[in-house]
């Protein structure tokens, strides 16, 4: 029995790790960090192996959460550097907002962020996002629409500030 569990985990790893790590790579823009996050997701799955009904969904949602934590850490580091820099130099009165889509996606509420990450960054169809998030397809579509509208509004404001 133990052997089959390990074989199943090994097959799942071989089948999903490359795509999962590649998805992470696109989100965090760093190979090492992407592999750390993907590996951590598999470690967490292994710890809960007997209780997880949908391993693939568990992995993608776990990675989305770990990426969010990574982005938060980076933002805290950026703020600390900006504060340190501000003390050493005079800053302009207004600083344009960062129009980076990654930062904007990061700022979305989790309810909107996870479907965006799964649908647009992991190339999953709406039906699959629906299954993985436990939401109806119509709800996923509405969440994707709401997220796009928020992103569009943020991008417009960012462009207006830079003109």
């Amino acid at each position: 029995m133990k052997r089959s569990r390990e074989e199943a985990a090994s097959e799942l790893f071989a089948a999903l790790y490359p795509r999962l790590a590649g998805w992470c790579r696109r989100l965090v823009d760093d190979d090492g960090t992407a592999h750390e996050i993907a590996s951590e997701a598999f470690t967490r799955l292994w710890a809960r192996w007997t209780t997880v009904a949908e391993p693939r969904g568990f992995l993608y949602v776990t990675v989305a959460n770990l990426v969010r934590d990574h982005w938060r850490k980076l933002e805290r580091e950026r703020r600390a550097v900006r504060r340190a820099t501000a003390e050493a130099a005079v800053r302009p009165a207004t600083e344009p907002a960062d129009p980076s889509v990654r930062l904007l996606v990061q700022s979305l509420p989790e309810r909107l962020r996870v479907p965006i990450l799964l649908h647009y960054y992991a190339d999953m169809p709406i039906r699959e996002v629906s299954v993985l998030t436990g939401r109806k397809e119509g709800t996923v579509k509405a969440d994707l629409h709401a997220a796009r509208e928020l992103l569009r509004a943020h991008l417009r404001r960012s462009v207006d500030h830079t003109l």
Side-chain angles (χ1 to χ4, degrees), residues 15-29:
L16 293 183
Y17 185 83
R19 185 167 182 211
L20 193 67
W23 181 52
C24 284
R25 171 67 174 87
R26 289 194 314 257
L27 294 173
V28 300
D29 201 28

Side-chain angles (χ1 to χ4, degrees), residues 29 32 39 47 83 85 111 114 123 126 135 141 160 162:
D29 201 28
S39 296
R83 277 193 303 272
T85 305
R111 173 182 72 81
V114 170
D123 298 322
I126 289 173
R135 297 183 196 143
K141 289 177 184 178
D160 289 344
T162 58

Side-chain angles (χ1 to χ4, degrees), residues 107-121:
S107 71
L108 290 172
E110 184 173 356
R111 173 182 72 81
L112 303 178
R113 184 181 56 250
V114 170
I116 286 284
L117 291 174
L118 294 175
H119 184 65
Y120 291 108
Y121 287 85

Side-chain angles (χ1 to χ4, degrees), residues 47-105:
R48 295 165 183 79
W49 184 255
T50 57
T51 61
V52 174
E54 178 53 55
R56 185 172 186 264
F58 178 88
L59 288 168
Y60 274 93
V61 171
T62 299
V63 164
N65 290 332
L66 291 170
V67 165
R68 178 201 62 220
D69 293 345
H70 172 74
W71 285 346
R72 284 180 177 166
K73 179 183 172 201
L74 288 179
E75 184 55 31
R76 284 191 303 271
E77 290 170 358
R78 279 191 213 104
R79 275 184 280 184
V81 168
R82 281 195 298 260
R83 277 193 303 272
T85 305
E87 293 171 6
V90 177
R91 294 179 65 95
T94 59
E95 185 177 326
D98 185 352
S100 167
V101 173
R102 181 176 296 153
L103 291 175
L104 294 176
V105 170

